[in-house]
Amino acid sequence: MIKELGPGFRLTLVFTILTGLLYPAAMTALSQLIFPNQANGSLLTVNGKVVGSSLIGQSFSRPEYFHPRPSSAGNGYDAAASSGSNLGPTSAKLINGTTKKDDKGNEVVDFDGISDRIVHYCLDNGIPFDSSVSLDKFKDAKGDLDDVKLIKAFNDDKTPLVFTPKAAIPADAVTGSASGLDPHISQAAAEAQVSRVAQARGAAPEQIRGLIAANTAGADLGFLGEPRVNVLTLNIALDGHFPKK
């Protein structure tokens, strides 16, 4: 039995060293030598401080920044919980959103839905719209939109809220990616936000468009995919060129 186990043990030891130690060490050293930035996560720094990765989206909601596409990864852009909503295009939940009760019995947003996102996108970016009911009906005491009220209005079986933008809304502005981590938005989604960002920054729209162009990547190999704008690098450029006063 020892003679039979001996070769198996030696082969296991040899391949453990080769594939478990030497090969990973060689690949790590090679990647650090040839592609150090990518090997370390494509991290971006500002004034010596890491602010994120160019490969992973993050939330921006203030008016002076470009906003990313929605995310269903965990609480949003969570690399440890990468996922999409997994809802089909005819799903009522995807379109109108849903609410739920929290631990204290309060009704809160469970899933915001595309319709709710469109409302906020129009208001945030000054896009004209028609609404079957005045949006003032859905505001709270502070004058902010109450998403729970909006979602319930969209789901009303008898007289659902009808909200119609008067301009096209880029699909990626109100839908998440399959991973929930997409760091890019389309050129159309960036253009729709130019007026808001320019006003908040005290800059001319053409100046903002110049930064968009500088942070736009073309199709891979010239024909794979569409041009895309990296939200994080664009917002870093905004802070550098037009700091918020």
Side-chain angles (χ1 to χ4, degrees), residues 4-161:
E4 294 175 352
L5 292 177
F9 176 77
R10 288 192 292 272
L11 283 174
T12 300
L13 181 61
V14 168
F15 279 107
T16 298
I17 295 173
L18 286 176
T19 62
L21 297 175
L22 296 181
Y23 179 77
M27 291 299 100
T28 300
L30 192 62
S31 62
Q32 289 290 340
L33 178 64
I34 302 176
F35 308 110
N37 182 52
Q38 293 87 336
N40 290 301
S42 299
L43 301 179
L44 299 176
T45 60
V46 176
N47 298 324
K49 180 181 179 181
V50 175
V51 295
S53 168
S54 62
L55 301 178
I56 298 178
Q58 58 180 273
S59 178
F60 288 95
S61 58
R62 286 158 53 183
E64 64 266 28
Y65 288 109
F66 281 87
H67 299 170
R69 66 186 305 178
S71 170
S72 296
N75 290 324
Y77 316 99
D78 183 356
S82 175
S83 69
S85 67
N86 295 326
L87 298 173
T90 60
S91 167
K93 178 177 180 178
L94 176 67
I95 297 170
N96 296 326
T98 55
T99 62
K100 65 179 181 180
K101 297 285 186 178
D102 64 11
D103 295 337
K104 297 181 180 179
N106 299 316
E107 196 163 14
V108 297
V109 175
D110 176 38
F111 185 83
D112 50 0
I114 291 176
S115 296
D116 184 62
R117 295 170 184 173
I118 289 175
V119 172
H120 283 280
Y121 199 80
C122 287
L123 294 180
D124 289 345
N125 298 291
I127 298 173
F129 59 84
D130 287 324
S131 179
S132 61
V133 178
S134 172
L135 294 184
D136 290 336
K137 180 180 179 181
F138 308 107
K139 292 183 178 180
D140 58 23
K142 296 181 180 179
D144 299 323
L145 281 178
D146 187 326
D147 289 313
V148 169
K149 292 181 179 179
L150 269 176
I151 291 171
K152 292 179 73 172
F154 281 123
N155 282 291
D156 191 313
D157 292 331
K158 295 182 179 179
T159 55
L161 172 63

